[in-house]
Amino acid sequence: MTLSSAGDTIFALSSGAPPAAIAIVRVSGPGAGPALAAIAGSVPEPRRARHAALRDDDGALIDRALLLWMPGPNSATGEDLAEFHLHGGRAVVAALFDRLAGLPGLRSALPGEFTRRAFLHGRIDLTEAEGLADLLSAETAGQHRRALRMAEGGLGRIIERWRSVLLGLSAQIEAAIEFGESDEEVGTAIRIDGALAELAGEAKALLAAPPAERLRDGLRIVAAGPPNSGKSTLINALAGREVALATPIAGTTRDIIEAPVRLDGHAILLTDTAGLRDGAEEVERLGIARARNAIDGADLILWCGAPEDCPAPDRSLLLHTRADERSDVAPVGSLGVSIHDPNSLIALRRSIDAKAHLLAGPDDALSLNARQRALVGTIAEELAVASSMLDPILQAEHLRICRDALDRLVGRSGVEDMLDSLFGRFCLGK
Ligand SMILES: Nc1nc2c(ncn2[C@@H]2O[C@H](COP(=O)(O)OP(=O)(O)OP(=O)(O)O)[C@@H](O)[C@H]2O)c(=O)[nH]1
Ligand SMILES: [Mg+2]
């Protein structure tokens, strides 16, 4: 998709689906001012709300509405921008749409096109656009706060600081290359090494934060263990509904069963798996292979088997399931749970909540998505390599690669291929 942002003017309903109390229609591009003049008689004072009658081309009244006029480049999109706040009835909105579509150079916007224009005009960088996309889809308080931090330029500002430090260091290296070795330059090299190591440390710290996908798509919590250990029953209890079949027959669950739930404010993807055992028949074996994959990809495993058999103790909560029926007591470090003992389920939820808090990290942390992590990873590596190099020419080359990765991070270069998929995530009118 190629979009010319000069020349054409876009419009869309930016508020929720009608009918609603108020509908907000945005118009962005060079035709926004003429559209206001044509429909409302004149263009209002910039950035001041004005009440006016909206009229069709034959003078018929469409609605009385509040108008906003935000001339570019100091507008959300960086272009001339008009907003109509009208009554949110379907026919009212449809009439305004017809009127706008009849004006020369105006067309309906594509999903995310307003934000895309804001990015193309440098009003926001790519990390802020990514944060906005997450903000629009945020459902939990944690997702909201992280997305807001990104949308407000939390990462963009760090990148800008790194850029200016790197530019300064590159200049020092260039000078060292030009003037050759001397005692003074040895001093410069040490200063540069220290600064590079410091930046590399910052990059590594960013990478250590929980990935954004974990918060966006939910923590993956997987119930696993031997057949008949009560995994499906547990998943049903946690989900609060019958997600999976639970029967006394060992090998009931064959496939992966996923249930997105909200537990104490955390978005969680609960996963039930086939019981692990040797010598199962073909279909069950396929299910067990899937169970092992789910265990590998889990953020947290609810392990329902013997503690010594747990495949990943560092990512597991050890559970002593069906506790009411057993004569043995829960071993140290295991939590006894019984479906018939509400207190044990409350204790389980508390343990899950504590783990989820740890996995999600503090609410004010910056969470990087896969694209951002790959680039920050490159930066951390290149900085480490550069600081270990003695040859300033090679050092300069590694710093150039770092600067290139920084440009990609904020969308200054090499991002054409991902813009469609990013802005396609936005709703119409954003
Ligand atoms: N008394 C008692 N019975 C339980 C408890 N949890 C599960 N059960 C019973 O144990 C049997 C097996 O439970 P499931 O949840 O199907 O076990 P599973 O681990 O999913 O089994 P597979 O899918 O075969 O691997 C069922 O009859 C459950 O009703 C419990 O805490 N107490
Ligand atoms: Mg089961």
Side-chain angles (χ1 to χ4, degrees):
M1 174 175 60
T2 50
L3 290 170
S4 66
S5 56
D8 62 350
T9 297
I10 54 172
F11 63 87
L13 177 67
S14 289
S15 53
I22 292 169
I24 301 175
V25 173
R26 295 168 102 195
V27 186
S28 181
L36 276 174
I39 300 171
S42 65
V43 177
E45 211 183 308
R47 274 164 259 281
R48 287 232 116 123
R50 202 188 80 197
H51 197 247
L54 311 183
R55 296 194 182 274
D56 234 328
D57 50 0
D58 60 4
L61 187 66
I62 296 173
D63 194 13
R64 291 187 198 280
L66 217 56
L67 305 179
L68 286 176
W69 166 236
M70 285 151 295
N74 290 324
S75 69
T77 54
E79 302 175 327
D80 286 352
L81 187 70
E83 276 184 19
F84 297 85
H85 295 221
L86 60 165
H87 292 103
R90 282 198 187 89
V92 185
V93 174
L96 180 61
F97 269 33
D98 283 348
R99 180 76 166 107
L100 287 166
L103 294 172
L106 268 70
R107 65 166 172 84
S108 297
L110 299 166
E113 202 174 359
F114 289 91
T115 315
R116 188 177 187 130
R117 288 186 173 197
F119 166 69
L120 291 175
H121 290 117
R123 298 296 294 170
I124 55 172
D125 73 24
L126 196 57
T127 63
E128 290 165 317
E130 287 170 314
L132 265 178
D134 286 344
L135 188 62
L136 293 180
S137 61
E139 289 188 3
T140 67
Q143 289 169 342
H144 170 208
R145 279 193 286 270
R146 301 297 177 93
L148 200 58
R149 176 105 201 265
M150 191 62 79
E152 291 280 293
L155 181 58
R157 279 192 296 279
I158 293 174
I159 302 303
E160 282 314 310
R161 181 165 52 75
W162 287 1
R163 250 177 84 78
S164 80
V165 172
L166 274 179
L167 277 173
L169 294 176
S170 296
Q172 284 187 50
I173 293 173
E174 300 293 339
I177 293 170
E178 198 155 323
F179 300 113
E181 294 282 313
S182 77
D183 285 353
E184 263 175 62
E185 263 80 60
V186 173
T188 309
I190 291 167
R191 280 207 304 279
I192 288 175
D193 289 351
L196 289 178
E198 202 173 301
L199 279 191
E202 278 191 47
K204 285 207 189 91
L206 264 188
L207 288 173
E213 294 80 7
R214 188 185 278 172
L215 295 154
R216 195 181 67 203
D217 306 333
L219 297 173
R220 283 159 304 170
I221 298 189
V222 175
N228 237 0
S229 52
K231 302 178 295 298
S232 301
T233 307
L234 213 55
I235 290 287
N236 290 343
L238 289 171
R241 58 197 160 95
E242 295 295 304
V243 182
L245 279 177
T247 77
I249 302 163
T252 298
T253 307
R254 300 286 183 90
D255 219 334
I256 297 288
I257 298 170
E258 292 182 334
V261 298
R262 200 80 57 78
L263 282 187
D264 300 307
H266 298 284
I268 283 171
L269 189 63
L270 280 179
T271 304
D272 188 18
T273 60
L276 307 174
R277 65 171 160 188
D278 297 329
E281 46 79 26
E282 179 64 13
V283 178
E284 197 179 340
R285 264 209 307 280
L286 291 172
I288 291 172
R290 290 189 173 188
R292 294 200 189 282
N293 278 340
I295 290 171
D296 288 345
D299 295 311
L300 179 65
I301 299 160
L302 303 179
W303 180 248
C304 302
E308 59 273 19
D309 298 334
C310 180
D314 52 327
R315 286 185 287 131
S316 297
L317 265 181
L318 301 177
L319 303 182
H320 189 73
T321 50
R322 304 180 65 168
D324 57 300
E325 297 178 311
R326 294 165 72 156
S327 51
D328 55 338
V329 289
V332 179
S334 288
L335 189 65
V337 283
S338 160
I339 204 68
H340 301 300
D341 175 5
N343 285 334
S344 74
L345 295 174
I346 291 172
L348 172 62
R349 276 172 179 272
R350 267 205 211 106
S351 298
I352 292 177
D353 187 35
K355 289 271 184 190
H357 256 93
L358 280 181
L359 285 165
D363 272 347
D364 58 351
L366 262 178
S367 295
L368 274 51
N369 63 31
R371 183 192 79 85
Q372 295 162 344
R373 273 201 309 282
L375 287 164
V376 172
T378 304
I379 291 165
E381 277 168 31
E382 293 295 326
L383 286 170
V385 174
S387 68
S388 68
M389 298 230 142
L390 295 173
D391 182 345
I393 294 178
L394 289 176
Q395 250 184 344
E397 175 56 15
H398 286 285
L399 292 199
R400 196 196 54 70
I401 299 174
C402 277
R403 292 206 310 274
D404 182 55
L406 288 176
D407 282 347
R408 285 168 178 271
L409 257 175
V410 290
R412 277 210 188 98
S413 70
V415 290
E416 279 309 313
D417 46 340
M418 60 81 63
L419 293 185
D420 286 348
S421 69
L422 169 65
F423 291 109
R425 277 179 62 203
F426 285 83
C427 36
L428 206 60
K430 181 64 192 166

